[in-house]
Amino acid sequence: GEDVEQSLFLSVREGDSSVINCTYTDSSSTYLYWYKQEPGAGLQLLTYIFSNMDMKQDQRLTVLLNKKDKHLSLRIADTQTGDSAIYFCAVGLLSGSARQLTFGSGTQLTVLP
Amino acid sequence: SAVISQKPSRDICQRGTSLTIQCQVDSQVTMMFWYRQQPGQSLTLIATANQGSEATYESGFVIDKFPISRPNLTFSTLTVSNMSPEDSSIYLCSVEPWDREYGYTFGSGTRLTVV
């Protein structure tokens, strides 16, 4: 089955850019999502990208997709303390349901003042 | 996108008891999903619940331990039965959107502690 990998921790200074990386194994993955989880809360969808796209920008968020390397990244510009949270990438297949929505381990982003 | 109300938000339960978690959606949805997030871990799919049929469980999860009801298109429950401390986790429900570009919506989660 699909395997999704993320680094566990990232620390950045307030105002810097954060880049959170994700790799996956199934080249059939069609929908790629980034979710944010704040302490004690559920998951909030931040953004998504389709496999036929290379890049998507949404305000401070930029998603880059390298299909050849099966690598996904989330860049947060001008990182703020409110961005401190766990970020999950999740990949899914077009023809599937949540059975085929696989989550990475999550990256704990800490923003230092 | 759908709005999900999940309750309880947290509970502390005695070993050997059962807890039922409720998930209410503000619109009709075909598929609802239940996830477990163990401390410091990612999300693991427990089962998929379709209205009018039995839930489909993932490997490692069984109906006797995690019975699920799906009486209509806006509601589902997950019961954690005969609990042990190893069941201490966050349990989340999720729904599939009509258009997958909106992503799967999640409830706020139920933080369960078994003592």
Side-chain angles (χ1 to χ4, degrees):
Chain A
E2 176 83 84
D3 190 24
V4 180
E5 300 277 345
Q6 293 179 246
S7 53
L8 293 180
F9 302 100
L10 176 66
S11 292
V12 300
R13 293 279 178 195
E14 190 173 14
D16 289 348
S17 292
S18 307
V19 179
I20 303 171
N21 295 302
C22 174
T23 58
Y24 57 98
T25 55
D26 191 338
S27 57
S28 301
S29 296
T30 303
Y31 294 80
L32 302 106
Y33 304 103
W34 283 103
Y35 284 88
K36 177 183 180 183
Q37 186 179 38
E38 295 182 85
L43 271 70
Q44 172 195 354
L45 178 67
L46 285 179
T47 188
Y48 65 92
I49 192 168
F50 299 145
S51 60
N52 62 355
M53 301 164 67
D54 297 322
M55 185 182 85
K56 181 180 180 185
Q57 189 154 0
D58 184 1
Q59 298 183 331
R60 291 192 298 125
L61 305 178
T62 302
V63 179
L64 295 177
L65 175 62
N66 182 327
K67 289 185 288 294
K68 174 176 170 291
D69 295 337
K70 299 197 239 349
H71 181 267
L72 180 72
S73 68
L74 173 69
R75 178 176 179 270
I76 305 173
D78 186 25
T79 312
Q80 304 297 309
T81 55
D83 295 323
S84 291
I86 301 175
Y87 291 80
F88 291 95
C89 69
V91 300
L93 299 177
L94 175 64
S95 60
S97 67
R99 288 179 62 91
Q100 290 141 309
L101 184 65
T102 305
F103 283 83
S105 56
T107 299
Q108 171 78 59
L109 173 64
T110 301
V111 182
L112 306 171
Chain B
S1 58
V3 175
I4 303 175
S5 299
Q6 185 174 340
K7 58 182 181 182
S9 58
R10 60 178 63 230
D11 208 340
I12 301 173
C13 299
Q14 295 291 322
R15 163 195 311 254
T17 62
S18 297
L19 175 72
T20 296
I21 302 167
Q22 298 180 4
C23 188
Q24 177 76 53
V25 190
D26 68 343
S27 58
Q28 293 184 339
V29 294
T30 304
M31 295 177 125
M32 295 180 73
F33 313 101
W34 288 97
Y35 286 85
R36 181 176 72 183
Q37 185 181 20
Q38 293 178 297
Q41 302 294 315
S42 186
L43 279 74
T44 301
L45 181 64
I46 297 172
T48 302
N50 284 336
Q51 191 265 337
S53 63
E54 285 204 5
T56 303
Y57 289 83
E58 297 300 306
S59 175
F61 298 96
V62 295
I63 187 170
D64 289 346
K65 176 67 176 176
F66 297 101
I68 287 170
S69 78
R70 182 79 202 275
N72 57 53
L73 290 172
T74 63
F75 187 78
S76 179
T77 67
L78 169 76
T79 298
V80 186
S81 303
N82 188 25
M83 288 183 285
S84 67
E86 292 70 36
D87 294 319
S88 297
S89 294
I90 298 173
Y91 293 86
L92 300 112
C93 65
S94 175
V95 301
E96 187 177 42
W98 290 109
D99 187 335
R100 289 182 189 180
E101 74 174 63
Y102 296 115
Y104 294 78
T105 305
F106 285 81
S108 54
T110 297
R111 184 177 295 270
L112 171 63
T113 303
V114 183
V115 297

